[in-house]
Amino acid sequence: MTKEQIEHSGALMEGDKVYFPNLNGLRFFAAFLVILGHQELMKEYYLGVEPYFLLKNPDSGQLGVILFFVLSGFLITYLLLMEEAKTKTISIKYFYVRRILRIWPLYYFLVLLSFFVLRYIPFFEWPYIDIENAYSPRSLILYLLILPNVILHGMEVVVPYIGHSWSIGVEEQFYIIWPVLMKFVKKKERLLIGVIVTYLLIKFTIPYIQDMTGSYHVYVFSKIWDKFSIDCMAIGGLFAIWHYKKKAIIRYLYSPILNWSIVLFLCAVFFSTFRLPNLNNEFFAILFGVLILNLATNPNPILNLENKVFSFLGKISYGLYMYHILGIVLSVRLLGGFGVYAWGVQTCFSLGITVLISTLSYYGFEQRFIQMKGKFSKILSGDNVHK
């Protein structure tokens, strides 16, 4: 890689290591949004307690997921661009190995925990669950194939403690095709725009096909496709390309006025019922993309999330996301048993339990697989930068 490319990247680089500041903080906030949204749902589900009156947006947890999608698209795309610049190619095999080492161990651990352990412990039972379908061989097979989004959205079956892993399924399906497209399609900006447009065309066409045919299979596919937010990941990738190529638009996207306006708008949305018809996910993906660009690549970002607390919480954010339902159930049931329903207490307790479980999981289980990723990386990033 040339000196010009290194300076051009905007990332903090040392040799073959890439580190974007503030991304760990953003990862934590994405997980925290999901935790807040699901906590209120679980309080209502278990205790019949109305959600906290200020948290009115039913999509608050979904916004956290969209932020995760845009972050993934941005970072993965940028790293592939850097690998191609350094090696003149992209190793699809090594890419798959890296994703397997980071995603699969914890994912499969929780799948086995849900299907074979938690379901037999009365304290962790969920009321109103269709046990026969939730724990059927079909459900288990689809989870083992990393198709949880098919179970949740297509078949409308909730499997306790791992239903939220539908987004992991979407990301894994994205990871299957992304390195292939990035390797063999040379005009990458057009590629990303094409992915976004194609996704939306299919999304808006399916309902008409469903109306004409009345097909149940088309109906199921439409529900799966509606949540298959590959366009949000492509939006993140588009921002990565703009940054990598130092497009002129970047100067305008760095505007403090624009970014502070987005932050204030997002705060207002979280305490409202705002939802943009038809393009809600894409709209917020663009807003998140602008913020990611500012916080991760701007020499003078509007906020500085680089500190030990956010760095640590961002490092364990995958665990926070995967374990948070378990942490929330423990919090809601334990505190509910003592008649403690205060939002602040419940939130601190849910977050504290989830952080504790995630920390133990990270250092006792996940870290050994993360360290193995370095052997299959041409460009080191994330935790492999700080070994």
Side-chain angles (χ1 to χ4, degrees), residues 238-304:
L238 196 58
F239 279 96
I241 288 179
W242 288 349
H243 168 58
Y244 182 79
K245 293 185 175 182
K246 285 294 180 287
K247 292 283 188 174
I249 193 175
I250 297 296
R251 181 177 60 181
Y252 302 101
L253 296 179
Y254 278 168
S255 165
I257 295 176
L258 172 63
N259 281 271
W260 276 118
S261 298
I262 291 174
V263 170
L264 294 175
F265 174 74
L266 290 172
C267 290
V269 163
F270 191 60
F271 298 106
S272 73
T273 56
F274 174 87
R275 197 175 203 284
L276 189 68
N278 301 318
L279 293 170
N280 192 65
N281 290 351
E282 293 74 18
F283 172 70
F284 282 102
I286 292 171
L287 298 187
F288 288 140
V290 175
L291 284 181
I292 291 168
L293 197 68
N294 184 282
L295 296 179
T297 71
N298 189 348
N300 300 298
I302 60 169
L303 293 170
N304 182 9

Side-chain angles (χ1 to χ4, degrees), residues 6-220:
I6 293 174
E7 292 174 346
H8 205 56
S9 70
L12 299 180
M13 295 197 62
E14 180 182 349
D16 296 328
K17 299 178 180 180
V18 178
Y19 177 76
F20 283 105
N22 293 318
L23 287 195
N24 271 334
L26 285 172
R27 288 187 184 101
F28 166 68
F29 279 112
F32 189 56
L33 282 175
V34 176
I35 291 171
L36 287 181
H38 283 164
Q39 175 185 263
E40 299 310 300
L41 292 175
M42 297 306 291
K43 280 168 60 179
E44 188 173 23
Y45 181 76
Y46 269 108
L47 306 174
V49 176
E50 287 291 321
Y52 185 52
F53 75 100
L54 286 178
L55 301 180
K56 296 180 180 179
N57 196 321
D59 292 326
S60 57
Q62 178 71 11
L63 292 181
V65 173
I66 295 303
L67 178 51
F68 270 128
F69 284 162
V70 181
L71 281 166
S72 292
F74 177 85
L75 186 58
I76 292 297
T77 301
Y78 190 86
L79 292 175
L80 290 175
L81 289 170
M82 296 298 288
E83 179 180 338
E84 186 176 51
K86 178 191 174 186
T87 67
K88 307 303 180 185
T89 188
I90 292 172
S91 174
I92 296 172
K93 180 178 72 173
Y94 277 14
F95 178 89
Y96 290 157
V97 172
R98 292 195 300 271
R99 292 298 87 204
I100 287 170
L101 289 172
R102 185 63 189 106
I103 302 297
W104 286 19
L106 182 53
Y107 172 84
Y108 281 116
F109 171 71
L110 275 169
V111 168
L112 297 177
L113 189 69
S114 175
F115 273 89
F116 300 109
V117 179
L118 295 178
R119 65 176 290 195
Y120 298 111
I121 302 175
F123 181 87
F124 292 107
E125 286 182 358
W126 285 27
Y128 322 120
I129 286 292
D130 182 354
I131 298 296
E132 184 176 343
N133 280 320
Y135 296 114
S136 67
R138 180 187 64 181
S139 292
L140 178 60
I141 290 170
L142 287 174
Y143 266 95
L144 292 177
L145 292 175
I146 316 186
L147 295 170
N149 51 325
V150 174
I151 285 289
L152 183 65
H153 299 135
M155 301 178 181
E156 298 181 339
V157 174
V158 177
V159 181
Y161 300 101
I162 54 173
H164 61 290
S165 68
W166 68 268
S167 63
I168 304 301
V170 170
E171 287 204 11
E172 287 295 273
Q173 292 147 31
F174 164 76
Y175 293 148
I176 290 174
I177 63 172
W178 208 242
V180 178
L181 293 176
M182 288 290 290
K183 179 172 182 175
F184 294 108
V185 179
K186 299 306 178 184
K187 297 186 180 298
K188 295 179 173 49
E189 191 170 357
R190 292 184 184 179
L191 163 67
L192 289 160
I193 294 172
V195 168
I196 296 167
V197 171
T198 301
Y199 173 85
L200 292 175
L201 284 175
I202 295 174
K203 177 181 177 179
F204 293 132
T205 302
I206 290 175
Y208 295 102
I209 298 176
Q210 165 63 21
D211 289 341
M212 289 188 295
T213 64
S215 168
Y216 172 75
H217 298 294
V218 174
Y219 169 69
V220 171

